[in-house]
Amino acid sequence: MSGSLCVKVRASPGRTSTLASRTILQLQNPAPEDSHHQTNSTHHKKAFPVLSFNFDHVRKPFEISLWILLALLMKLGFHIIPRVSHVVPESCLLIVVGLLVGGIIKAFDEDAPVQMLDSKFFFLYLLPPIILDAGYFLPMRPFTENLGTILVFAVVGTLWNAFFIGLTMYGVCQIEAVKLGRVDLLSCLLFGSIVSAVDPVAVLAVFEEIHINELLHILVFGESLLNDAVTVVLYHLFTEFSHKGTVTVADAFLGVVSFFVVSLGGILIGAIYGIIGAFTSRFTSHSRVIEPLFVFLYSYMAYLSAEVFHLSGIMSLIACGVVMRPYVEANISHKSYTTIKYFLKMWSSVSETLIFIFLGVSTVAQPHPWNWTFVVVTVVVCFVSRVLGVVSLTYIINKFRIVKLTKKDQFIVAYGGLRGAIAFSLGFLLPDNEMKQLFLTAIITVIFYTVFVQGMTIRPLVELLAVKKKKESKGSINEEIHTQFLDHLLTGIEDICGHYGHHHWKDKLNRFNKAYVKKWLITGERSTEPQLISFYNKMEMKQAMMLVESGSAAKLPTIMTPVSMQNIQPKEPLKRRAIPSISKSREQEIRKMLRGNLQKTRQRLRSYSRHDLMVDPFEEDVSEVRLRKQRVEMERRVSSNSAANKQSQPWISKQQLGKDNNIP
Amino acid sequence: MGSRASTLLREEEIEEIKKETGFSHSQITRLYSRFTSLDKGENGTLSREDFQRIPELAINPLGDRIINAFFPEGEDQVNFRGFMRTLAHFRPIEDNEKNKNSSASEPLNSRTNKLLFAFRLYDLDRDDKISRDELLQVLEKVDVEQKMSIRFLH
């Protein structure tokens, strides 16, 4: 009744050992070569080998490079075929490629060892770049605003999923007809905990291409990041229990405690490394070239250190990136900033591609004991539990939210719960028992289902349901000012009400940051510099470089990027009473900048997108520069004819074309 | 109207405030206790000094403007009704209220009223010197309904 998909494969650990043995052989027995040499000199029968073939010498790096090259070429190929990439998300195509490659290798040589998704390789080398990229560029504002919701989904949702799936599968296995009576409760719960977690890699890969609005993106993505702690705890918990055999109440209680330890400990380690990294960057002004390395290494160390103690490495990595970023960016040079950005994007892109391809290859390389009931029920139960979980949690969460989550939002959140390579690797790490292969098959099926079916259909569904897309409009400095204004306003009102809400604590944190932390972690004068001026300087430099590159003599009016202006008021500051005082000259500078640049300009960080690097005025085409210069010239001609107090617009958006702003 | 130093708020007053502002009973009582705790002079009204005594407000860059917003034109004291009326602007918009047709007086926390409040905050000398169109257009993009709402504790 149950067929099996059996493929002969040599176990992968064997490969490294044969390589090792070969190298040892070569070191220990130089004799054959010697004798070869001697025969050469004595007999002159063979000529000196001009060209010789020694593949084993470079085997490992060669294969790795080949794999990476293959992955990247595939990635290129998809974008050359436009029709396919519109319908099918990249992740699906990559898995298919992996399947094909695995199949080809199988076809060529039955016994050929197929490079599998080695769990250690995955967790130590492939996963960290993606998470660091995500954490470093995490849009903080929507994340902190929705933190409560995200945490509820991540913790409670994952727990619910794990137990629901585990218990249901146990119930299914008890049914006589399925012939799986051997599976005990703990194994099922372990299986449930592996399959329940939403995967950040898969979510990123799919959601990047559908461009939904910021709120939904941060909800699903934040959930996928934060549920790592829950997954780690549950996994270790159930593995330990499986060994011990019995579970006591004390053990369960310790499990709960360990959850807090894992998550908070991970965050703490990440924060510590982040602060050390920020502190280090304070002194790098003399060796700018190695600045990016500090960022990468400290973050990686944070990840590894957390993994040493079985804490949540992902949360540690994210905490490190988030903590480090504002200070590091104030300290490092512009080039280092660009380097960090590009390297992170590059590494995470490569990692993601490799992960999906290996997922495909590993599928082919496995023997797959197939049990229809188990696998199908798993897929169905996963989906059902996700929907139930999201709906019930949203019902509770909406009581506490100001902006409620609509049914459409709930659907997208539920539908976007994709499983990915983390589940597979965790399954791979399971101790070898009879159930392992069955579990792996089920896990792979779930992953394939979510990535292929849900991944492919989510885009048309988003269109169909008319879910709000990412805001495409370029923000303006005006908007930024008003946002800050409203922040202060709400903080004030909260203080009047005596209500210690969201704004109150955010404001306190900002003040603490300004008063103490910045002094320590940011070099010299920059620590007291109002953010507005530092960004203005950065932008001025970019402008200057752009001018030099485009080789133009015409002076471009400065382009201001909106910046979080904590203490700058939109109108003249009335009383200096308790506001941190800025020197007179600084104030003049700020006022001049505001007057000249309070127009629609590019915003620095609008939304988080992985495939297109954030649009930067610095990276614009020369043609755009030319276009802008033309506009500027036109405007200047127009404005020179109008009243003296009208300002010229450095950047005209479509709505404001023709309108001039009166700035008092 | 609470002109005497009584800590009890009468039921009819609570009902009136509820109708006018839309706060719930418990919210009104809680805010009343806050009002009385701020009212050091115990005369049932707050003066500017009472507000300025709040430490966090002193270091808020917008402190003065916010305080001014509570006091209607020319006056120096604000009673509890006025206090609540101003705070009502910050109540989150309920879904069922959004569907109400434009009646004679819009609820105090409607979108328009929130915007009006914010506008007056900019316009300190109350002479309409800001370009109104621009301000409204910008604030439209900034999600006013969400940003100008505080979840008052129950």
Side-chain angles (χ1 to χ4, degrees), chain A residues 482 488 490 495-496 600, chain B residues 34 60 122 124 138 141 147:
Chain A
H482 293 314
H488 283 302
L490 285 185
D495 290 327
I496 291 179
K600 281 189 181 284
Chain B
R34 175 69 177 170
N60 192 316
Y122 276 97
L124 262 189
V138 170
K141 283 220 214 108
K147 288 234 147 69

Side-chain angles (χ1 to χ4, degrees), chain B residues 13-125:
Chain B
E13 279 183 57
I14 297 186
E15 283 305 310
E16 280 174 39
I17 295 178
K18 205 184 206 174
K19 219 166 41 153
E20 191 186 353
T21 61
F23 280 118
S24 77
H25 194 104
S26 52
Q27 288 169 336
I28 295 177
T29 357
R30 193 182 158 272
L31 286 170
Y32 186 71
S33 62
R34 175 69 177 170
F35 180 84
T36 40
S37 73
L38 287 176
D39 183 16
K40 294 288 189 296
E42 297 232 340
N43 52 354
T45 62
L46 292 179
S47 67
R48 287 208 162 85
E49 286 72 41
D50 288 324
F51 279 106
Q52 282 161 3
R53 232 174 266 128
I54 305 174
E56 291 89 3
L57 213 53
I59 51 178
N60 192 316
L62 298 178
D64 292 328
R65 301 184 196 222
I66 300 175
I67 296 173
N68 271 333
F70 277 92
F71 296 91
E73 189 68 46
E75 289 181 23
D76 272 335
Q77 302 283 327
V78 60
N79 57 20
F80 186 58
R81 289 294 277 279
F83 184 71
M84 293 303 281
R85 212 172 287 131
T86 315
L87 284 182
H89 285 105
F90 290 91
R91 210 166 60 81
I93 296 182
E94 308 289 324
D95 270 328
N96 49 8
E97 283 181 27
K98 274 195 194 147
N99 295 333
K100 262 201 220 143
N101 296 332
S102 52
S103 41
S105 62
E106 281 182 48
L108 276 170
N109 64 340
S110 73
R111 194 165 204 278
T112 322
N113 278 324
K114 286 188 198 251
L115 284 171
L116 210 55
F117 183 84
F119 172 77
R120 284 203 203 100
L121 274 181
Y122 276 97
D123 189 18
L124 262 189
D125 42 1

Side-chain angles (χ1 to χ4, degrees), chain A residues 15-52:
Chain A
R15 288 195 61 252
T16 23
S17 62
T18 34
L19 179 66
S21 56
R22 236 173 263 148
T23 346
I24 296 173
L25 261 168
Q26 280 177 343
L27 288 172
Q28 281 177 347
N29 300 7
E33 301 219 340
D34 263 16
S35 56
H36 187 201
H37 239 68
Q38 284 182 342
T39 22
N40 241 355
S41 45
T42 43
H43 297 282
H44 292 284
K45 282 239 174 87
K46 273 184 167 178
F48 183 78
V50 176
L51 220 52
S52 56

Side-chain angles (χ1 to χ4, degrees), chain A residues 370-661:
Chain A
W370 185 262
N371 183 317
W372 274 103
T373 329
F374 190 81
V375 174
V376 171
V377 172
T378 308
V379 175
V380 171
V381 164
C382 278
F383 189 67
V384 167
S385 90
R386 173 88 182 152
V387 171
L388 282 177
V390 169
V391 170
S392 42
L393 284 177
T394 316
Y395 178 72
I396 302 174
I397 289 174
N398 268 344
K399 295 206 201 302
F400 297 97
R401 281 181 67 93
I402 293 180
V403 176
K404 317 279 183 203
L405 292 175
T406 65
K407 288 217 170 18
K408 263 194 257 171
D409 295 336
Q410 291 173 39
F411 176 74
I412 297 289
V413 172
Y415 208 67
L418 309 174
R419 296 354 186 231
I422 291 187
F424 180 76
S425 310
L426 282 177
F428 207 71
L429 284 174
L430 282 175
D432 267 316
N433 58 19
E434 54 205 15
M435 294 315 301
K436 177 173 166 180
Q437 292 305 328
L438 179 62
F439 284 168
L440 271 180
T441 313
I443 292 174
I444 288 189
T445 318
V446 173
I447 295 178
F448 273 40
Y449 169 75
T450 53
V451 173
F452 277 93
V453 175
Q454 286 181 224
M456 268 200 272
T457 53
I458 200 170
R459 198 198 299 233
L461 277 173
V462 162
E463 303 282 334
L464 197 67
L465 293 174
V467 177
K468 259 199 310 187
K469 293 282 190 91
K470 201 155 61 172
K471 273 193 282 191
E472 286 302 344
S473 63
K474 299 187 168 85
S476 69
I477 195 172
N478 233 341
E479 210 178 303
E480 189 66 31
I481 290 180
H482 293 314
T483 311
Q484 290 299 320
F485 177 87
L486 286 175
D487 271 347
H488 283 302
L489 171 64
L490 285 185
T491 313
I493 297 283
E494 278 189 1
D495 290 327
I496 291 179
C497 297
H499 170 73
Y500 290 135
H502 180 82
H503 291 90
H504 178 88
W505 294 116
K506 206 157 81 151
D507 198 57
K508 266 215 159 89
L509 186 67
N510 282 334
R511 285 188 203 286
F512 174 72
N513 190 15
K514 215 170 229 49
Y516 301 108
V517 182
K518 277 195 176 166
K519 284 212 190 73
W520 281 100
L521 297 179
I522 301 186
T523 44
E525 218 212 36
R526 307 277 305 267
S527 60
T528 50
E529 204 175 47
Q531 235 168 325
L532 181 60
I533 295 196
S534 59
F535 275 110
Y536 179 70
N537 288 333
K538 243 191 200 162
M539 284 303 122
E540 280 287 271
M541 214 173 60
K542 283 185 194 167
Q543 271 293 130
M545 289 200 265
M546 214 176 4
L547 265 176
V548 167
E549 279 184 10
S550 63
S552 146
K555 180 182 180 296
L556 280 173
T558 54
I559 292 185
M560 266 277 288
T561 49
V563 139
S564 93
M565 298 188 284
Q566 312 261 333
N567 291 317
I568 313 291
Q569 306 192 14
K571 262 189 165 184
E572 302 184 1
L574 281 185
K575 290 201 188 123
R576 318 263 180 286
R577 190 171 19 131
I579 301 161
S581 51
I582 340 170
S583 64
K584 264 290 174 213
S585 59
R586 275 269 171 79
E587 220 184 284
Q588 290 295 336
E589 230 181 297
I590 293 172
R591 229 172 276 164
K592 190 177 69 165
M593 273 196 280
L594 281 177
R595 226 173 273 135
N597 294 293
L598 214 64
Q599 314 288 346
K600 281 189 181 284
T601 53
R602 275 193 189 288
Q603 186 163 23
R604 196 167 143 258
L605 272 178
R606 191 59 206 168
S607 45
Y608 173 69
S609 163
R610 286 189 57 242
H611 294 312
D612 22 293
L613 298 168
M614 290 165 289
V615 187
D616 210 349
F618 185 56
E619 272 123 36
E620 284 188 351
D621 278 341
V622 182
S623 57
E624 260 224 86
V625 173
R626 229 179 290 137
L627 194 61
R628 214 175 332 139
K629 275 187 286 183
Q630 283 172 9
R631 278 204 210 123
V632 164
E633 286 302 325
M634 226 168 42
E635 274 304 295
R636 211 173 299 158
R637 252 175 261 137
V638 168
S639 66
S640 67
N641 296 337
S642 44
N645 62 345
K646 290 219 169 155
Q647 308 287 328
S648 69
Q649 296 197 338
W651 186 258
I652 309 165
S653 82
K654 295 196 185 89
Q655 292 117 307
Q656 293 222 322
L657 204 60
K659 256 197 253 181
D660 271 335
N661 282 353

Side-chain angles (χ1 to χ4, degrees), chain A residues 177-191:
Chain A
V178 180
K179 294 191 195 149
L180 281 174
R182 314 182 294 278
V183 185
D184 62 326
L185 180 63
L186 279 172
S187 303
C188 279
L189 283 175
L190 185 56
F191 174 70

